[in-house]
């Protein structure tokens, strides 16, 4: 786990980069196969791509994949462009750019909070490693939980254009979040 920077909501990029270096060797005998960085930083994502390529090489033999999300406010065309630029079969980029969660305090009052797309990506990473499903079963049409709604509604054309560039699009079907079509950024 990476600690937040003092007085900020996130950790500095260098902490994520160091964590990726730290997991190049087994941690307590465990070699991770799925990586999730809970950040939308382009610097960290670029380093992540390099990490995946290095660790998944024939020399290292540590097959790894990763799930990433986008910052709130990232337009569908921008997400598509970023995914296309990544263009790597071991990275799954997830869109929309955020979701709403509800947290209830000790008085029973619920407050809603906006989370960026990296949290939606975390839900997909969890789904990917879940023992409830066979690893050979596609993630397409599977549901994710924990979110009240997405921050963005997209029409079919926007979803098609975004997905055509290697973005896994999540849809909200009457409050049930589903993976429209599971894709990697390598189209």
């Amino acid at each position: 786990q990476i600690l937040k920077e003092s007085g900020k909501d996130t950790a500095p990029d260098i902490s994520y980069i160091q964590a990726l270096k730290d997991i190049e060797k087994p941690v307590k005998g465990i070699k991770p196969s799925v990586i999730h960085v809970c950040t939308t930083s382009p610097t960290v994502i670029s380093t992540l791509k390099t990490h995946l390529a290095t660790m998944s090489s024939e020399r290292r033999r540590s097959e790894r994949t990763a799930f990433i999300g986008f910052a709130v406010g990232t337009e569908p065309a921008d997400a598509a462009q970023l995914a296309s630029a990544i263009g790597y079969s071991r990275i799954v980029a997830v869109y929309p750019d955020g979701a709403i969660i509800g947290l209830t305090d000790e008085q029973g009052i619920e407050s809603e909070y906006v989370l960026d797309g990296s949290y939606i990506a975390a839900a997909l990473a969890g789904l990917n490693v879940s023992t409830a499903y066979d690893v050979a079963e596609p993630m397409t049409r599977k549901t994710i939980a924990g979110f009240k709604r997405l921050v963005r509604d997209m029409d079919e054309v926007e979803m098609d254009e975004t997905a055509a560039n290697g973005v896994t699009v999540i849809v909200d079907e009457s409050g049930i979040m589903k993976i429209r079509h599971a894709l990697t950024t390598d189209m």
Side-chain angles (χ1 to χ4, degrees):
Q1 182 166 339
I2 299 169
L3 300 176
K4 291 190 260 186
E5 193 171 10
S6 180
K8 299 204 176 175
D9 290 338
T10 62
D13 287 354
I14 193 68
S15 294
Y16 287 99
I17 293 166
Q18 183 58 50
L20 289 170
K21 287 180 184 172
D22 292 345
I23 62 172
E24 286 180 1
K25 295 179 183 175
V27 179
K28 297 182 182 178
I30 298 171
K31 292 196 296 187
S33 61
V34 177
I35 309 292
H36 174 67
V37 291
C38 203
T39 181
T40 59
S41 164
T43 301
V44 174
I45 291 169
S46 175
T47 303
L48 174 65
K49 180 180 176 180
T50 302
H51 171 83
L52 295 172
T54 301
M55 297 310 296
S56 298
S57 68
E58 283 189 42
R59 180 177 180 208
R60 295 287 184 101
R61 297 182 187 162
S62 294
E63 298 288 321
R64 295 184 181 181
T65 57
F67 293 83
I68 62 167
F70 298 97
V72 173
T74 304
E75 294 296 324
D78 296 331
Q81 183 179 5
L82 288 167
S84 186
I86 292 168
Y88 190 52
S89 63
R90 296 185 178 280
I91 295 180
V92 175
V94 182
Y95 195 82
D97 50 336
I100 309 291
I101 62 164
L103 297 177
T104 306
D105 66 15
E106 56 277 349
Q107 284 88 30
I109 300 169
E110 182 181 77
S111 298
E112 292 187 344
Y113 298 91
V114 176
L115 300 177
D116 67 37
S118 67
Y119 290 89
I120 301 171
L124 264 71
L127 182 67
N128 180 263
V129 299
S130 172
T131 57
Y133 299 104
D134 183 338
V135 294
E137 188 179 335
M139 290 181 64
T140 298
R141 305 303 299 156
K142 287 190 177 149
T143 60
I144 57 172
F147 306 104
K148 291 183 81 169
R149 64 186 175 280
L150 301 172
V151 297
R152 182 184 303 271
D153 288 324
M154 299 169 64
D155 62 32
E156 290 295 323
V157 173
E158 283 180 311
M159 287 189 276
D160 289 344
E161 290 172 348
T162 305
N165 287 283
V167 178
T168 295
V169 176
I170 307 300
V171 294
D172 183 347
E173 294 180 355
S174 303
I176 298 171
M177 308 303 153
K178 289 186 177 179
I179 301 168
R180 183 174 184 257
H181 193 153
L183 301 166
T184 70
T185 59
D186 180 14
M187 291 302 287

